[in-house]
């Protein structure tokens, strides 16, 4: 109990003595961990949106006439040999006609004049990893070639008329999300470094203000770690206070900005309270490591204790 009482008194004394610097360290830690938490939440939101978007993305392999069971079976077997292919469904001309009428049900001229026999049969390929969609065209031996002055996808596999893989859309989607994630993460890392510098500076100022007391403690036999421990706890307290404030602010932001979207924008999946709770341990661990490393660096570099 005596040790705990000593650590408590030394920690609170250090926080009071350097109140302004401690407040600056807490504030910077709060902002840094808030940005770090936002980066994690934004990454989770982007993942949810990608899953919702790419979950319905399928590669359409349009078959050339006449469609035979042997040709269809050969193409299906080749597609199913890919690890990324989760499902292959055959769509006949009649089913394609039903799909066409459903898609264009608001345009009577198209629906009434469509020739179902002119629509191609196809294989609808569902992917477990949509970002690897290029493997489908690769295994079918498809590549862009100049045919009669125009670019056309030509496949070495017999029985294929065309393959539609939404490559442009998916490439842009994955490129944008990568840039967005990296940008937010870089900002949060910069803020974490700034918080570490401020915590280290707070510890250094505390050591400097109590340098005579520390000298006396060393003369009476106090170990280096007994001297260091209160400063480590002081830095840890500053960081945990900032982390707690960041967690509360994240919940407040979710309630203020995300909750109203649940009812109005239903076609997009939004982060929930469980997603926020899932990042709380990460914020606490990041804050604790930040404080401990910064405190140790501050003590080692500025004062010989």
């Amino acid at each position: 109990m005596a040790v705990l009482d000593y650590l408590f008194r030394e920690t609170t004394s250090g926080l009071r003595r350097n109140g302004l610097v401690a407040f600056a360290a807490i504030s910077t830690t709060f902002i840094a961990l808030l940005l770090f938490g936002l980066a994690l939440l934004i990454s989770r939101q982007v993942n949810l949106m990608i899953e919702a978007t790419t979950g319905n993305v399928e590669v359409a392999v349009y078959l050339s006439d006449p469609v035979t069971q042997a040709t269809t079976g050969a193409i299906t077997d080749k597609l199913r040999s890919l690890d990324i292919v989760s499902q292959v469904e055959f769509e006949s001309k009649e089913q394609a006609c039903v799909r066409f009428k459903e898609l264009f049900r608001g345009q009577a001229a198209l629906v009434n004049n469509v020739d179902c026999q002119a629509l191609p049969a196809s294989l609808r390929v569902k992917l477990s990893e949509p970002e690897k969609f290029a493997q489908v065209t690769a295994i079918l031996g498809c590549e862009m070639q100049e045919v009669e002055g125009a670019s056309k996808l030509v496949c070495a596999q017999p029985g294929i008329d065309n393959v539609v893989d939404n490559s442009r859309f998916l490439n842009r989607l994955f490129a944008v999300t990568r840039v967005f994630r990296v940008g937010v993460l870089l900002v949060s890392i910069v803020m974490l470094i700034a918080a570490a510098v401020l915590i280290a500076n707070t510890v250094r100022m505390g050591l400097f203000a109590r340098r005579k007391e520390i000298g006396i403690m060393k003369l009476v036999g106090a170990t280096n770690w007994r001297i260091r421990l209160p400063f480590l706890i002081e830095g840890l307290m500053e960081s945990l206070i900032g982390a707690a404030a960041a967690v509360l602010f994240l919940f407040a932001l979710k309630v203020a900005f995300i909750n109203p979207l649940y009812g109005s924008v239903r076609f997009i999946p939004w982060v929930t309270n469980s997603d926020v709770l899932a990042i709380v341990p990460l914020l606490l661990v990041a804050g604790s490591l930040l404080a401990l490393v910064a405190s140790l660096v501050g003590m080692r570099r500025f004062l010989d204790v």
Side-chain angles (χ1 to χ4, degrees), residues 165-244:
D165 59 9
N166 297 308
S167 57
R168 289 185 178 180
F169 166 75
L170 291 173
N171 280 329
R172 289 177 182 175
L173 175 64
F174 295 131
V176 169
T177 53
R178 280 194 296 268
V179 171
F180 195 70
R181 285 172 178 167
V182 171
V184 175
L185 187 60
L186 286 176
V187 171
S188 62
I189 289 174
V190 170
M191 292 304 299
L192 286 173
I193 294 173
V197 172
L198 267 178
I199 291 175
N201 191 53
T202 304
V203 172
R204 180 187 66 83
M205 291 183 67
L207 286 165
F208 185 78
R210 297 164 61 187
R211 60 191 183 280
K212 291 183 180 179
E213 179 183 341
I214 290 172
I216 294 173
M217 291 176 67
K218 295 195 69 172
L219 287 175
V220 298
T223 63
N224 283 339
W225 274 107
R226 184 176 178 83
I227 297 171
R228 291 188 179 109
L229 198 55
F231 296 100
L232 286 174
I233 296 176
E234 181 180 333
L236 185 61
M237 286 293 295
E238 292 169 355
S239 186
L240 290 179
I241 292 171

Side-chain angles (χ1 to χ4, degrees), residues 15 18 79 89 119 242:
L15 291 173
N18 302 299
L79 290 171
E89 292 184 350
L119 298 176

Side-chain angles (χ1 to χ4, degrees), residues 48-58 86 126-128 130 170:
L48 289 174
M49 294 177 69
I50 288 177
E51 289 171 6
T53 303
T54 59
N56 297 320
V57 170
E58 58 185 16
S86 60
K126 292 282 187 181
L127 306 179
S128 58
L170 291 173

Side-chain angles (χ1 to χ4, degrees), residues 3 6 111 133 167 239 267:
V3 174
Y6 163 74
V111 173
F133 58 87
S167 57
S239 186
F267 59 89

Side-chain angles (χ1 to χ4, degrees), residues 63-101:
L63 306 175
S64 57
D65 293 329
V67 178
T68 64
Q69 188 173 358
T71 302
T72 304
I75 298 173
T76 301
D77 291 340
K78 184 166 287 189
L79 290 171
R80 285 176 176 165
S81 68
L82 290 174
D83 293 334
I84 63 167
V85 173
S86 60
Q87 187 177 3
V88 180
E89 292 184 350
F90 174 74
E91 182 179 83
S92 65
K93 290 177 177 288
E94 291 74 19
Q95 292 170 324
C97 188
V98 172
R99 180 196 288 265
F100 180 89
K101 290 180 178 180

Side-chain angles (χ1 to χ4, degrees), residues 245-265:
V247 170
L248 293 176
F249 207 81
L250 283 174
F251 274 106
L253 288 175
K254 179 193 166 293
V255 170
F257 296 103
I258 301 298
N259 285 9
L261 298 175
Y262 288 154
S264 58
V265 188

Side-chain angles (χ1 to χ4, degrees), residues 265-301:
V265 188
R266 297 182 180 180
F267 59 89
I268 294 178
W270 299 102
V271 292
T272 61
N273 287 336
S274 60
D275 294 311
V276 181
L277 288 173
I279 68 171
V280 170
L282 295 176
L283 292 182
L284 294 177
V285 170
S288 300
L289 291 176
L290 178 74
L292 293 176
V293 172
S295 299
L296 288 172
V297 170
M299 286 185 288
R300 185 187 65 178
R301 181 177 178 182

